[in-house]
Amino acid sequence: MSRAMMWFRKDLRTLDNPAFWHAAQHDELCAVYVRSEMQWDRHDVSHAQRTFIQNNVKALHERLSGLQIPLLIVEATTFSHVPALLLKLAADLEVDGLFFNEEYELNEARLSDSVEAQFCGAGLAISRFHDQCLLTPGIVHTKAGTFPKSFTAFDRNGKALLRTRMRQLYPLPVAPSVNAIALKRVDYAVNIDSFEQFSDTHDYDTIRWPAGEDAAHVSLDEFITERVTDYPENRDFPGLDATSQVSAYLAVGVLSARQCWQAGEVLTGGENEGLLAWRRQLVWRDYFRHLLVERPDLCRHQPYKQEFTGLPWEDSPHLFDAWAQGKTGYPLVDAAMRQLNTEAWMHNRVRMVVAMFLCKHLRIDWRKGECYFSRHLIDIDLASNNGGWQWSASTGVDAAPYFRIFNPIRQSTRFDREGEFIRKYVPELADLDRDSIHQPNAEQALARGYPLPIVDHREAREKTLAMFEAFKHSL
Ligand SMILES: Cc1cc2nc3c(=O)[nH]c(=O)nc-3n(C[C@H](O)[C@H](O)[C@H](O)COP(=O)(O)OP(=O)(O)OC[C@H]3O[C@@H](n4cnc5c(N)ncnc54)[C@H](O)[C@@H]3O)c2cc1C
């Protein structure tokens, strides 16, 4: 009789979960989720994502109950307490081994190693699996055997590998016929019904992101059947409901990247242009994760391009606050920041616009923006967030060149032509026509209590170019 324990982390699902599937091949199985509020604080995890995780842990608990598998929830002060806690649980439940999926952020990867060290020291087995990416980090190379510095090369080489190395999805494992472990109790486990009491819960939109695997698959399938075909034409317009919005599910592992990739295969036959464009975004997600493994110092707030380490960013708390509150006087920037503050999510096009505005109009350090996003996004994900910010600040791998500076008004007339997105999030400008709404004049702004632009686009652009050029010459 063999007994296994599955440690759920950012893989809150039963389907296509490699560690869970392998753990479930044992005679008896229990599962654990370790919650650490202080670690969430240290990692600046948004309250929206914390609440989303909790709701999904509850959904997982229910689903596992249906398979007669108990999910125990235990609390750890920080990551450093997790290995001993898991070991105690393993001893109390008399399990032979622990199963879990890898996480690639620096602290999470170190945690995996120390859990392994403690279990091995105690003579217990550990089984670790790659789960989060389409392709295992480290296997996409250039011909010279190095990590591809351009996304185009990563995409080309990665897709070639995907044709041969994309594994089948793991099915739902068969429930153990007798699971005596389910009857065991530990007095330090948290009762699932009182789970939400432990954190300030966030009022995110539970209609848009209902908890649980079934709900996530409904969202995914709806996108693939109804919107993926038009994705290439519509994906850049924040006023349209044109993207999948599955990022929150992917970030906490309620959906796997492989399920997303293959959902399209089944529903469209894999040849649809829209599907190919959407899959390219999934490859971007992989790219930034592979990059974290290649350059773990990115988790320590270092720029990818080390020559940009000492860039003289400016410290302007009042400008940062205006940006954060959506009061810059640039309607598209303000609409986007208000979307983030009210909905815990932001459309990709405007993530780029506001990020570039912070770094290249206000010359504020990208790390401050990265942290603000982390504290507010429901889909916060270190790899993609860091990748997006470093792209915008020109410090990243395959980043926008430093002299590429989005004009926020041009972006607005191009991607929100009729001003629908602005009207929704900046209601004080809602009565302006499509010509004025992107750039209200002083009279229009003052009459509506809307701020005047906090910086002049042309002047800010010149100053930023001068900053980058002076810095480059000083090297
Ligand atoms: C400054 C900045 C910060 C960002 N922070 C995050 C973050 O914390 N978490 C996050 O998931 N994404 C982040 N992104 C990437 C992107 O904006 C979101 O993934 C996307 O907006 C999510 O919406 P969607 O699910 O509708 O995407 P879709 O357009 O439907 O794309 C499908 C999936 O592909 C992935 N994806 C799409 N675009 C990107 C991209 N540019 N980089 C990496 N993966 C991508 C996401 O997992 C997404 O769910 C950031 C981008 C920028 C510019």
Side-chain angles (χ1 to χ4, degrees), residues 231 243-247 250 278 281-282 284-285 288 345-346 348 351-352 355 373 377 379-381 384-385 388-389:
Y231 182 77
T243 68
S244 68
Q245 301 199 14
V246 296
S247 52
L250 278 164
W278 190 65
Q281 298 311 114
L282 295 172
W284 268 107
R285 179 179 175 278
F288 288 138
W345 188 83
M346 195 194 285
N348 180 61
R351 287 188 206 207
M352 293 191 285
F373 267 31
L377 280 170
D379 63 14
I380 186 58
D381 166 62
S384 301
N385 196 36
W389 274 95

